[in-house]
Amino acid sequence: MIRDKINQILDKLPEDELNNVYWSIKSIEQEYLHNKSLQDKGVITSYLEESEELIQKWDYSFAKNISESVKRDIYYDQFKWHIFSYEKQECLKEEEARNAFNAVAKEELYIMYQGNPIVSLYSNASELKAEDFDSKQDIYIFDKNFSWTYVLTHESMCGPYYYKINNK
């Protein structure tokens, strides 16, 4: 049985290594619970081949009014969400952001992560709520029309953020 094999490995490890094991298992558990929640809500996940184009379109749609020099100054290349944390783009924050995300129509959503070249499409996503993403970090969620984005960061004092383009 696999559980017995895992226990045998754990028994061989020194106590100070068990903390690493715990956090690895915790991460696997969070990913499993997130995916199960999506599945339970009927969300269909697709991985998109045109991911690079979508990432560039996110940049254009949500940061087009931010100059290249300001982007350099706020380390936009490290974290796109710095446009919100450095208050270069006006947005809703914290509970207001969560409420806005919960209220917006979400039949289909794009999902991207900072530093990951793959963008996912979530279909049948109307039941998703902000709390479905609470275990995620540096995630950018946006609609297919690029009219709004919801962003969660890895910094507990930053975000979440919700930004809606006024003319859409």
Side-chain angles (χ1 to χ4, degrees), residues 37-49:
S37 173
L38 294 177
Q39 185 179 27
D40 290 350
K41 291 183 178 195
V43 176
I44 301 164
T45 303
S46 308
Y47 301 98
L48 305 175
E49 292 183 20

Side-chain angles (χ1 to χ4, degrees), residues 93-147:
K93 300 172 186 162
E94 300 169 353
E95 204 58 36
E96 286 183 323
R98 293 171 66 80
N99 292 340
F101 177 78
N102 288 343
V104 72
K106 297 178 284 289
E107 186 54 37
E108 291 187 306
L109 301 173
Y110 289 127
I111 309 293
M112 70 179 192
Y113 289 89
Q114 186 74 47
N116 187 331
I118 298 169
V119 175
S120 302
L121 174 66
Y122 286 10
S123 302
N124 196 35
S126 60
E127 297 298 315
L128 292 179
K129 299 291 182 197
E131 50 271 11
D132 293 319
F133 299 96
D134 285 348
S135 67
K136 299 301 180 181
Q137 296 181 347
D138 301 324
I139 184 173
Y140 302 79
I141 304 167
F142 48 104
D143 68 317
K144 288 187 81 173
N145 295 324
F146 292 80
S147 63

Side-chain angles (χ1 to χ4, degrees), residues 69-82:
S69 64
V70 168
K71 286 179 183 176
R72 272 191 308 278
D73 291 346
I74 65 171
Y75 308 100
Y76 179 81
D77 60 330
Q78 291 177 9
F79 297 105
K80 296 175 185 301
W81 54 261
H82 281 176

Side-chain angles (χ1 to χ4, degrees), residues 14-84:
E15 192 68 29
D16 59 335
E17 288 296 324
L18 293 179
N19 192 45
N20 293 333
V21 173
Y22 171 80
W23 288 110
S24 295
I25 292 171
K26 190 70 177 164
S27 175
I28 292 168
E29 177 194 37
Q30 285 179 335
E31 189 65 21
Y32 167 77
L33 292 173
H34 175 74
N35 290 334
K36 183 173 180 342
S37 173
L38 294 177
Q39 185 179 27
D40 290 350
K41 291 183 178 195
V43 176
I44 301 164
T45 303
S46 308
Y47 301 98
L48 305 175
E49 292 183 20
E50 68 274 10
S51 292
E52 188 174 318
E53 294 169 29
L54 294 169
I55 293 167
Q56 290 174 356
K57 191 167 180 182
W58 190 98
D59 290 333
Y60 177 77
S61 298
F62 302 113
K64 67 182 172 190
N65 61 322
I66 312 294
S67 73
E68 291 303 316
S69 64
V70 168
K71 286 179 183 176
R72 272 191 308 278
D73 291 346
I74 65 171
Y75 308 100
Y76 179 81
D77 60 330
Q78 291 177 9
F79 297 105
K80 296 175 185 301
W81 54 261
H82 281 176
I83 62 174
F84 306 120

